[in-house]
Amino acid sequence: MYRKSPVTLGLLSCYNVYAVCRQILLFALGISLYFVVLLLLFQLLKTMGEKKRKSKSDSHRVTFADESEKTNQKHSSKTMHPSMLRQRADSPEEGAGMPFLRTPHKNHDPYIKVGDTLPPIILYEKCAPPIPINIKDLFQNTRLGILFGLPGAFTPVCSTNHLPGFVKDYDKFKHRGVDVIACVTVNDPYVSTAWGYYQNATNKVKILADVLCEFTRSIGMDTNMYAQLGGIRCKRFAMILENGVIKYLTVEDNPQKTSCTMAGHVLEALDNRYHDARNDNPLSAWYFHRRSLNLPPFN
């Protein structure tokens, strides 16, 4: 029988070891490539899923700013309220799309005055879902209305003095023929609605949220309260409107205090304006007789 030499046996042994090592390396390389491909596929699927979710959320997202802008775009500059045109002229170009970053107008006097009508701007009431309300239409369709503004919901003075006074005297206002009492605050509708529930103002005072401070700026009632409330807020004011026309307007010098805009002062203004010497009752038959003759109800 043929015997292999020691050299041949050594070479064969080396070759066998090489073949085994090569198989092990190829197997390890295949496993590594398999896991790399799985990792790349997983990452690709994850990226595609995130893009799909983002595009879907963006397509269904409707912000208050977009809704308000679409509504207000219906009104051209020819039909726009004069106070809104003045506000646009005074607004700086920088931050034009960011109302909360704008500074208050330089003229400290309100744009709006007795004899004007309210600008047609959308405010929001309630929150499930928020109901858009055209502030001009709200008062234009009512015989007699009260509109007052304040810096913000859940603030100390507004929560202890200003709004509670109108809620408490709601029956007195109704007795004097007031159809609508509304409060404007620079907040989102969720905060303003919660504040209205907390103050028991439901079905008595309409809490209207001026989300973008657009209405407040358009009538010149914006004030810088960055130090106290972190942004532009509303001055403390009160007005009486008849068929959408402002007949009485008062503004506080200091928004952190209440005096002339309290419910008692507005009631006194109603009594003085509608009072007739022939009868102590401001809503007497003689008063309505004057209205039927188209005589001015104010002195």
Side-chain angles (χ1 to χ4, degrees):
M1 185 175 180
Y2 176 74
R3 292 185 178 181
K4 296 179 181 180
S5 65
V7 176
T8 303
L9 291 175
L11 291 174
L12 289 174
S13 300
C14 292
Y15 178 79
N16 291 333
V17 172
Y18 164 74
V20 172
C21 292
R22 186 182 63 177
Q23 293 297 329
I24 293 174
L25 289 174
L26 290 175
F27 178 77
L29 181 60
I31 293 296
S32 301
L33 290 175
Y34 175 76
F35 281 106
V36 168
V37 171
L38 286 181
L39 182 61
L40 292 176
L41 287 176
F42 175 76
Q43 191 68 23
L44 180 62
L45 291 175
K46 182 179 178 181
T47 305
M48 292 176 63
E50 290 178 352
K51 289 183 178 180
K52 186 176 180 180
R53 285 193 299 269
K54 184 177 180 181
S55 61
K56 186 177 180 180
S57 61
D58 290 342
S59 62
H60 289 82
R61 186 181 300 138
V62 180
T63 61
F64 296 118
D66 296 336
E67 198 170 324
S68 178
E69 183 178 357
K70 290 178 182 178
T71 305
N72 292 326
Q73 280 178 353
K74 297 179 182 179
H75 304 279
S76 63
S77 59
K78 294 182 180 179
T79 60
M80 193 174 291
H81 194 274
S83 62
M84 296 175 67
L85 295 177
R86 291 195 295 270
Q87 185 266 338
R88 283 193 173 187
D90 291 345
S91 297
E93 294 182 0
E94 184 177 359
M98 299 174 287
F100 283 103
L101 299 183
R102 302 174 189 165
T103 56
H105 56 80
K106 297 180 180 179
N107 183 9
H108 295 287
D109 297 329
Y111 288 140
I112 208 162
K113 60 185 183 301
V114 174
D116 289 344
T117 58
L118 297 177
I121 291 179
I122 299 298
L123 303 180
Y124 292 91
E125 182 186 19
K126 300 183 179 179
C127 63
I131 301 174
I133 294 180
N134 189 313
I135 187 68
K136 181 177 182 179
D137 294 342
L138 176 65
F139 287 96
Q140 200 167 24
N141 299 327
T142 57
R143 185 184 66 85
L144 186 63
I146 304 294
L147 176 65
F148 65 98
L150 39 80
F154 292 104
T155 54
V157 178
C158 302
S159 299
T160 57
N161 296 333
H162 206 173
L163 178 60
F166 286 90
V167 174
K168 180 181 178 181
D169 293 336
Y170 173 76
D171 293 332
K172 296 180 181 179
F173 282 106
K174 296 297 290 185
H175 176 71
R176 286 160 174 78
V178 175
D179 299 319
V180 175
I181 304 176
C183 170
V184 174
T185 173
V186 181
N187 289 106
D188 62 80
Y190 305 99
V191 170
S192 60
T193 301
W195 187 48
Y197 286 140
Y198 180 77
Q199 293 288 338
N200 297 319
T202 308
N203 299 326
K204 292 183 179 181
V205 179
K206 288 182 174 291
I207 309 297
L208 303 179
D210 188 7
V211 181
L212 297 180
C213 199
E214 191 173 5
F215 172 75
T216 302
R217 291 185 59 85
S218 68
I219 63 175
M221 294 294 179
D222 52 315
T223 182
N224 189 333
M225 299 191 72
Y226 279 97
Q228 299 85 4
L229 299 175
I232 303 298
R233 293 303 180 107
C234 181
K235 294 180 180 179
R236 205 175 295 276
F237 72 90
M239 61 176 67
I240 302 173
L241 300 98
E242 184 180 1
N243 297 321
V245 179
I246 301 174
K247 298 295 184 179
Y248 173 82
L249 174 62
T250 179
V251 184
E252 299 281 2
D253 295 332
N254 185 356
Q256 300 184 27
K257 297 181 180 179
T258 54
S259 57
C260 61
T261 59
M262 292 289 290
H265 289 272
V266 178
L267 284 171
E268 183 179 353
L270 280 172
D271 292 340
N272 292 336
R273 296 284 183 173
Y274 284 91
H275 180 74
D276 190 89
R278 302 192 183 192
N279 197 317
D280 291 333
N281 183 4
L283 298 180
S284 62
W286 174 250
Y287 162 73
F288 286 106
H289 176 64
R290 287 175 59 84
R291 293 297 304 274
S292 65
L293 297 177
N294 293 324
L295 296 177
F298 290 87
N299 296 331

